[in-house]
Amino acid sequence: MIKGFAIATIWVLDQDRAKEFYTEKLGLEVRTDMTMGEGGMRWLTVGAKDQPDVQLTLMVPEHPGLDPESAAAVRKLVAKGVLSGGVLVTDDVHGDYEKLKARGVEFLQEPQERPYGTEAIFRDDSGNWFSFNQPREELDFDKDWAC
């Protein structure tokens, strides 16, 4: 049976640029950076040092699993900024917001109180947006859900 979650794919427009963004700006570490087979696709994964079992695959939409029309559609959606990469968590959203902003991370929303925690929203260098969250222990339904 399923034991847990291991890898999530983040569609990016340029793997070298994404590698730099996720490591130098967000502070994640490279887990894997290799080419699969001769002339094959690049397998690039990053992750948080304190969470060794979870990785993000930074994948360009140009691999055998996508036909050219689908690859173009994915690239267009990423560039348009409508895809979410998920939720990244921290113990200090206000302090880390300031650090990441100083490193050039583009924030769409400064930290705000939500029922589930304090949340900021940022974009990566390809256009994907992420919720950056300091979770609460319990939901606080007195807080606003609106984004």
Side-chain angles (χ1 to χ4, degrees):
M1 292 305 299
I2 296 172
K3 291 174 47 176
F5 189 81
I7 301 173
T9 299
I10 305 297
W11 295 110
V12 299
L13 301 177
D14 179 295
Q15 285 177 306
D16 289 325
R17 214 176 64 218
K19 180 180 178 181
E20 181 179 327
F21 178 87
Y22 282 83
T23 58
E24 294 180 19
K25 291 190 178 182
L26 297 186
L28 301 180
E29 61 184 20
V30 173
R31 300 280 173 75
T32 308
D33 190 355
M34 61 181 261
T35 301
M36 298 173 70
E38 191 173 318
M41 75 175 190
R42 183 177 179 188
W43 183 252
L44 173 60
T45 67
V46 296
K49 69 176 180 150
D50 294 335
Q51 197 176 26
D53 295 341
V54 178
Q55 299 178 70
L56 299 176
T57 301
L58 306 177
M59 182 72 66
V60 290
E62 299 169 0
H63 64 79
L66 289 176
D67 60 83
E69 182 182 345
S70 297
V74 170
R75 277 192 301 278
K76 185 175 180 178
L77 289 170
V78 171
K80 190 174 180 180
V82 298
L83 298 182
S84 170
V87 178
L88 300 176
V89 295
T90 180
D91 291 332
D92 180 11
V93 73
H94 292 282
D96 289 340
Y97 164 82
E98 293 298 335
K99 289 176 193 171
L100 294 177
K101 197 171 169 184
R103 292 180 190 163
V105 174
E106 175 194 358
F107 277 87
L108 305 174
Q109 174 192 291
E110 62 186 35
Q112 295 184 13
E113 296 300 317
R114 301 286 182 232
Y116 44 84
T118 307
E119 174 188 56
I121 297 176
F122 70 85
R123 284 198 195 284
D124 72 5
D125 66 308
S126 292
N128 298 297
W129 63 271
F130 288 83
S131 170
F132 187 50
N133 196 321
Q134 182 176 340
R136 291 186 197 296
E137 288 188 29
E138 294 183 23
L139 288 175
D140 180 352
F141 293 105
D142 292 330
K143 303 295 182 199
D144 187 12
W145 286 95
C147 293

